[in-house]
Amino acid sequence: MNLKSNLKSIRIDIFNPNIIVFLIFLFIAIAIPILYFSKELHPPSFQVYIFITIGIIFFKLGTFFPKVLSKISKIVKNKIKILENIKEEKLNDIKLFEHYDILELILVAIVSIGIILQIANLFILGGIPLFSGVLKGNAATRIWLFSYIFFLLGINLLLAKFKRKSHYLFLLIGLSLFTLTGYRTTPITILLSVFVTLYYTRNFEMKHNIFFFILIAILLTAIGFIATKSIEWQQWRLNPIDLISYRAGFTLNILDRATYLQGSTNGSLFYYTLTGFFESVNPRVLVGEVVIGKSHAITSTIFGPAILDFGLLAMAIQMFTIGFILKLLHLLQKYLKGIATGLYAIILAQTIVWIETGPTDIVVWIFYLIGIFAIIYYFYKLKLP
């Protein structure tokens, strides 16, 4: 009985930053059948695997550096009471509507704004983008962008901080609305980030973990297949499973070509990503123009854009920085929980999606910036060196 109890008490932290490395290998494994056991795509050169290996090495260095992280961990434990005495004291002391404090109502309002904006966006489009390639191409408006930022941030912080079951209704509504846009990345990021948030803030059993993994897999397959079939000017003969392998294999081939085109975009991808609010240029279309000579939105994995912009060194610096930031956020959420967990979940989920799409979305950089400010804020409050 004691052994059984001990085994139940053991909890593996599956969502630590190292999951990025595992999922990169999984992404390659998914691509292998279409690349090496079919005639749909040509296998990439060996050089692409060298670049991927270098990227993983620098990511791991980022999670290990600096060595004082272990010392910081001990300091956080010793000084955690400092933050416990100050965090949201004033907000949590103010009760409205009997059982709701003002912080919870603020987060509910943020989530509601995201939902309302997304409804407005679909109304303006005049249809459901999931079933129309034309509407899908016009769905990523500024209204969509703000709705996504508000909803993703609000729902994760709300679920991380408050355990009221009625809040799951907001999740269901928002997830449904963003699924209708036809984009795979947004609903997958929402579901994945919420899964990470709940994993760290609830006592999940194995059956709950399996349920979320199956739901994410079904959503990824269904949205990708329906949206692809709905593109009027394309004809696909692949089934839903083969289509996932094809997309992974095609993206690896794009990365392979990018390794031979280092620095060819001269920083344009990064520039148009950061100016997404003001410019009409889609960085992924630019990838398509440079790599395959066609004006198609093309993904190039988490490594591709940096390689195309500035070369191998830039890719190494990017991966190191991502690993470092994720490690710091993971360290903070481990001890602080609540808001810190919600932020970590959002940024980790966005980074997981980057494995295929690459860092060409301004919304992800916005969340990374929020994460950096959070690191500075918490470290300042904890008076860390």
Side-chain angles (χ1 to χ4, degrees), residues 355-367:
I355 292 173
E356 181 200 356
T357 64
T360 53
D361 303 292
I362 186 174
V363 64
V364 187
W365 289 110
I366 290 173
F367 283 118

Side-chain angles (χ1 to χ4, degrees), residues 4-66:
K4 207 174 209 181
S5 301
N6 289 335
L7 287 175
K8 282 186 178 180
S9 65
I10 296 174
R11 183 182 175 89
I12 300 173
D13 187 1
I14 61 175
F15 288 114
N16 71 78
N18 288 319
I19 194 175
I20 298 296
V21 177
F22 169 77
L23 291 176
I24 289 172
F25 286 123
L26 180 60
F27 182 78
I28 295 172
I30 291 172
I32 285 176
I34 206 77
L35 289 174
Y36 297 98
F37 300 100
S38 78
K39 296 180 180 179
E40 296 290 340
L41 294 171
H42 294 291
S45 69
F46 186 70
Q47 177 167 295
V48 74
Y49 298 111
I50 295 176
F51 274 65
I52 290 174
T53 301
I54 293 172
I56 289 173
I57 289 172
F58 275 88
F59 176 84
K60 289 294 294 180
L61 288 174
T63 62
F64 289 141
F65 182 86

Side-chain angles (χ1 to χ4, degrees), residues 204-224:
F204 266 8
E205 297 178 12
M206 181 58 69
K207 63 182 180 181
H208 297 134
N209 296 331
I210 294 174
F211 169 76
F212 264 98
F213 279 124
I214 292 175
L215 185 59
I216 290 171
I218 292 174
L219 196 63
L220 175 64
T221 304
I223 296 174

Side-chain angles (χ1 to χ4, degrees), residues 95-109:
K95 296 290 182 180
L96 297 177
F97 303 106
E98 190 176 355
H99 298 296
Y100 291 81
D101 63 50
I102 192 170
L103 177 59
E104 185 174 7
L105 290 177
I106 289 173
L107 291 175
V108 167

Side-chain angles (χ1 to χ4, degrees), residues 250-271:
F250 181 77
T251 303
L252 273 181
N253 271 333
I254 295 297
L255 175 62
D256 182 35
R257 296 187 188 188
T259 62
Y260 295 96
L261 296 169
Q262 295 184 57
S264 58
T265 52
N266 297 309
S268 296
L269 292 175
F270 190 59
Y271 170 78

Side-chain angles (χ1 to χ4, degrees), residues 194-208:
V194 167
F195 181 22
V196 177
T197 295
L198 297 178
Y199 178 83
Y200 283 118
T201 58
R202 311 292 196 274
N203 293 320
F204 266 8
E205 297 178 12
M206 181 58 69
K207 63 182 180 181
H208 297 134

Side-chain angles (χ1 to χ4, degrees), residues 42-99:
H42 294 291
S45 69
F46 186 70
Q47 177 167 295
V48 74
Y49 298 111
I50 295 176
F51 274 65
I52 290 174
T53 301
I54 293 172
I56 289 173
I57 289 172
F58 275 88
F59 176 84
K60 289 294 294 180
L61 288 174
T63 62
F64 289 141
F65 182 86
K67 290 183 178 180
V68 296
L69 278 176
S70 59
K71 296 179 181 178
I72 290 177
S73 178
K74 294 177 182 178
I75 296 172
V76 171
K77 286 181 182 178
N78 294 333
K79 294 191 175 184
I80 199 67
K81 291 182 180 179
I82 297 175
L83 192 66
E84 289 297 324
N85 292 331
I86 61 172
K87 63 177 184 179
E88 291 111 19
E89 273 185 350
K90 294 181 180 178
L91 289 176
N92 289 333
D93 284 342
I94 303 174
K95 296 290 182 180
L96 297 177
F97 303 106
E98 190 176 355
H99 298 296

